[in-house]
Amino acid sequence: MEIEKKYRIKKLPEAYEDFPYKEIEQGYLCKDPIIRIRKSNENYILTYKSKYGIDPNISQTCVANEVEVQLSREGYMHLKEKIDHHMVYKTRYLIPLNKGLTAELDIFKKYLDGLMIVEVEFPSINAASKFHPPDWFGEEVSSDYRYKNAYLSTIDNIREL
């Protein structure tokens, strides 16, 4: 199960470029349930996400059942030809937070240039509900569909947000 909160960025944290990062491209084959392909550096992944069986009253966080399967480069390239809409391109910086948590700072590229979002994944719903974001986090957008990558893949630029 994936439990996360998502925020806009108020200001970039100091020295964020010094942290480990991943170059990510991802595309969507289906939106309900979500079937996504992702290239993260040189790793290729097929992801299935579903809300099936999740309590609909959980509103503070994004919660989904998630299964990831490794793909070969060839399999990824084959599926990439079949995606709906646009590929999403971003650099993801992995910034340590308190209590063993990690801020995943996404700085989007190409048609989404200028968009910055940070996500934090949690070990439990309880941990998510007790989370106090750092000062550089902005407005929480966990429940705002416009900041889901599947939706971002359907727009042509960030003025559509």
Side-chain angles (χ1 to χ4, degrees):
M1 183 179 304
E2 176 187 63
I3 303 166
E4 68 181 16
K5 285 190 173 189
K6 188 178 288 199
Y7 299 83
R8 293 183 59 148
I9 301 298
K10 190 184 313 179
K11 63 177 181 173
L12 286 170
E14 289 186 31
Y16 73 92
E17 292 174 308
D18 294 341
F19 290 99
Y21 66 93
K22 300 174 184 179
E23 294 297 336
I24 295 174
E25 64 178 45
Q26 62 191 39
Y28 293 83
L29 300 162
C30 184
K31 306 271 186 324
D32 188 18
I34 291 176
I35 300 176
R36 174 188 76 203
I37 58 167
R38 174 183 282 173
K39 178 180 184 272
S40 177
N41 293 339
E42 294 308 314
N43 295 311
Y44 303 93
I45 304 157
L46 173 72
T47 302
Y48 171 88
K49 286 186 181 189
S50 169
K51 296 277 187 187
Y52 181 76
I54 302 291
D55 182 349
N57 296 318
I58 300 171
S59 61
Q60 296 178 347
T61 54
C62 292
V63 179
N65 293 307
E66 180 178 84
V67 177
E68 293 186 339
V69 178
Q70 295 296 311
L71 290 172
S72 66
R73 181 183 184 287
E74 294 76 20
Y76 174 83
M77 296 306 288
H78 177 75
L79 291 171
K80 186 175 177 179
E81 295 175 9
K82 299 173 181 345
I83 67 157
D84 296 333
H85 309 291
H86 305 291
M87 291 294 288
V88 173
Y89 298 92
K90 58 190 176 181
T91 301
R92 173 170 285 174
Y93 294 91
L94 305 171
I95 303 170
L97 299 174
N98 294 332
K99 300 183 180 179
L101 299 174
T102 300
E104 297 178 345
L105 170 61
D106 288 343
I107 299 179
F108 291 80
K109 301 176 181 182
K110 299 196 179 191
Y111 71 98
L112 295 172
D113 189 43
L115 179 61
M116 296 180 287
I117 297 174
V118 64
E119 297 178 2
V120 179
E121 290 194 23
F122 299 94
S124 68
I125 293 171
N126 187 43
S129 67
K130 292 180 180 181
F131 179 68
H132 297 286
D135 291 340
W136 58 274
F137 283 34
E139 171 192 11
E140 183 179 354
V141 293
S142 301
S143 299
D144 190 334
Y145 74 92
R146 297 173 303 162
Y147 294 94
K148 297 192 183 311
N149 286 286
Y151 176 76
L152 293 173
S153 74
T154 69
I155 64 174
D156 293 322
N157 59 62
I158 63 172
R159 290 188 304 271
E160 295 181 40
L161 289 177

